[in-house]
Amino acid sequence: MQNLISLKSVFFFSINRWKDYCGDASADFKHFDSSGNFVERIPVKGDFIRIAIPGPGTKEADGYDWVEIVNISHRDTKSYESYLMMCRPSKAPNRLRGYIAHFYSRAATSNMMISKEIDFLSVGIYGRNERPNFNARFLDKIRNFFIAFGGMFGAGKIQWKILAEGLLDFK
């Protein structure tokens, strides 16, 4: 069990493979560095995740939603170890100007954690301050309202539950 969190943290930080853990009906996640270049490495603060959700995407970011990784932390004690990654909606990293390219406002965060106690491994994904992003172009405002509304009333929870279970079950 001692190395299990290390093994699972590799899956946890393999953002480009998250769709593999979730299946075809889920969103697709891709990892980019702070300059907007696609990368295959452990994420760091300031990196971005591009999300292609099923359904219509934003006009602002060519059909994608974007989040910035604003915090990554690791905690390790004798009886507990965890990794936490906090993401916040952002504009596309390769755009100097523009709107937040996400259906939630900049105030929202997604907090993803994998943790191990002595004989227990868990994954949790917690959304906070999830409100529609109305600071957008007109058509994106309409899209953001409907996607955020669905997310706030369960659709987003289904996606995160599938990812959490996939991280725990993936071999």
Side-chain angles (χ1 to χ4, degrees):
M1 187 69 171
Q2 182 62 29
N3 293 327
L4 187 56
I5 192 160
S6 297
L7 177 61
K8 291 299 181 177
S9 68
V10 170
F11 296 143
F12 180 69
F13 287 126
S14 297
I15 296 165
N16 296 319
R17 296 198 57 209
W18 284 0
K19 185 170 179 67
D20 297 340
Y21 313 146
C22 297
D24 292 335
S26 75
D28 191 19
F29 303 87
K30 296 298 177 197
H31 181 192
F32 291 79
D33 67 14
S34 61
S35 298
N37 301 305
F38 178 80
V39 292
E40 295 247 15
R41 61 166 168 72
I42 299 292
V44 297
K45 182 178 176 181
D47 283 355
F48 292 85
I49 300 172
R50 185 186 76 191
I51 308 161
I53 65 169
T58 65
K59 298 289 183 206
E60 181 65 28
D62 303 320
Y64 299 106
D65 291 279
W66 287 88
V67 294
E68 180 181 1
I69 299 170
V70 295
N71 187 29
I72 296 178
S73 61
H74 177 237
R75 186 174 189 186
D76 193 5
T77 68
K78 285 183 179 181
S79 62
Y80 178 83
E81 183 179 11
S82 69
Y83 291 92
L84 171 72
M85 182 165 55
M86 179 188 286
C87 299
R88 182 177 301 283
S90 69
K91 57 186 182 174
N94 53 358
R95 304 223 173 157
L96 296 175
R97 290 189 217 148
Y99 299 106
I100 297 297
H102 196 279
F103 51 90
Y104 287 139
S105 72
R106 180 81 176 146
T109 59
S110 292
N111 305 278
M112 297 164 261
M113 180 164 34
I114 185 167
S115 61
K116 177 187 74 79
E117 294 187 43
I118 293 171
D119 61 352
F120 187 79
L121 183 67
S122 66
V123 174
I125 303 167
Y126 311 97
R128 299 288 181 255
N129 302 313
E130 295 175 333
R131 293 180 195 90
N133 176 17
F134 293 127
N135 187 17
R137 296 178 182 173
F138 178 72
L139 291 177
D140 283 345
K141 285 180 187 180
I142 295 169
R143 177 244 183 211
N144 292 346
F145 172 78
F146 285 106
I147 301 291
F149 184 79
M152 291 183 295
F153 289 97
K157 289 175 182 40
I158 294 168
Q159 170 66 57
W160 294 130
K161 182 177 183 346
I162 292 168
L163 177 59
E165 289 173 354
L167 287 166
L168 289 172
D169 294 338
F170 200 77
K171 311 278 188 261

